[in-house]
Amino acid sequence: MRLVIARCSVDYAGRLTAHLPSAPRLILVKADGSVSIHADDRAYKPLNWMSPPCTLKEGTGDEEGVWTVVNKAGEKLIITMEEVLHDSSHELGVDPGLIKDGVEAHLQELLADRIETLGDGYTLIRREYMTAIGPVDILCRDADGATVAVEIKRRGEIDGVEQLTRYLELLNRDPHLAPVRGVFAAQEIKPQARVLATDRGMDCVVLDYDALRGIEDDKLRLF
């Protein structure tokens, strides 16, 4: 991973145009080829980014200090450096990924085996659908053939909604999957998480662990 802190301006040219005026920012260039530009006040979310596959060209001569990032669709992210304050590279190696606790892992397995509990006509695409930022717990299709991403938690809190939001932003860039909607599933969903998920157009599903294991009658509730 390469970390660059620089005073820079950023221009995006693609399906729309966007401009970030000159300011100090953090630029992340990851091993997968992705490039993202961050401010100091946006938590995890970048100001602008380019997902892989994409290419980065650093200008020389008259174009020195100008980075041009181009994706396979021909969209461009142009970063104009005015002053580089820090530039370093670090080898992070292969990340082992998030390890779920036993209940979450078993919930994922059970729901994948009984995907129809989300609704009539649901079909499984796959468990642990890999993306550039990690695996989506379950990717499936609803009765209308639309793609659905399911994030499973034992206890549903705001950070889980944020995680599903990141997956949806990425998945919806894939024309073979889009539009993709989200389902936030947990044994217990906190009120604040439910409000946030609903505001972002996600369905919230309360999972009954015993019912999924077939011990009791199905008590899955969709709100």
Side-chain angles (χ1 to χ4, degrees), residues 50-187:
M50 195 70 81
S51 298
C54 58
T55 58
L56 167 61
K57 180 181 178 181
E58 298 184 42
T60 58
D62 293 340
E63 296 294 318
E64 186 174 1
V66 178
W67 289 14
T68 303
V69 187
V70 184
N71 67 11
K72 63 180 180 180
E75 299 168 318
K76 293 183 180 181
L77 197 63
I78 301 170
I79 307 169
T80 303
M81 307 286 191
E82 298 173 12
E83 181 184 9
V84 176
L85 306 173
H86 175 85
D87 189 345
S88 64
S89 296
H90 307 270
E91 180 59 54
L92 302 185
V94 178
D95 190 271
L98 180 67
I99 300 175
K100 291 182 174 289
D101 67 29
V103 173
E104 285 185 17
H106 198 202
L107 280 170
Q108 180 193 118
E109 180 182 352
L110 289 169
L111 191 56
D113 288 341
R114 304 179 183 183
I115 197 66
E116 69 280 357
T117 56
L118 291 178
D120 292 338
Y122 272 70
T123 56
L124 179 69
I125 296 176
R126 69 167 297 164
R127 289 173 54 198
E128 298 286 330
Y129 184 88
M130 186 55 64
T131 74
I133 58 173
V136 177
D137 286 340
I138 292 177
L139 198 68
C140 57
R141 295 195 187 279
D142 64 18
D144 297 322
T147 311
V148 180
V150 185
E151 180 64 26
I152 299 171
K153 298 294 184 186
R154 184 169 58 84
R155 178 177 298 163
E157 300 184 6
I158 284 178
D159 59 348
V161 178
E162 296 288 5
Q163 184 179 358
L164 180 55
T165 299
R166 295 194 293 272
Y167 287 140
L168 290 173
E169 287 178 352
L170 188 60
L171 292 169
N172 272 301
R173 297 180 196 172
D174 187 337
H176 299 293
L177 298 175
V180 185
R181 64 180 180 87
V183 170
F184 188 53
Q187 288 181 284

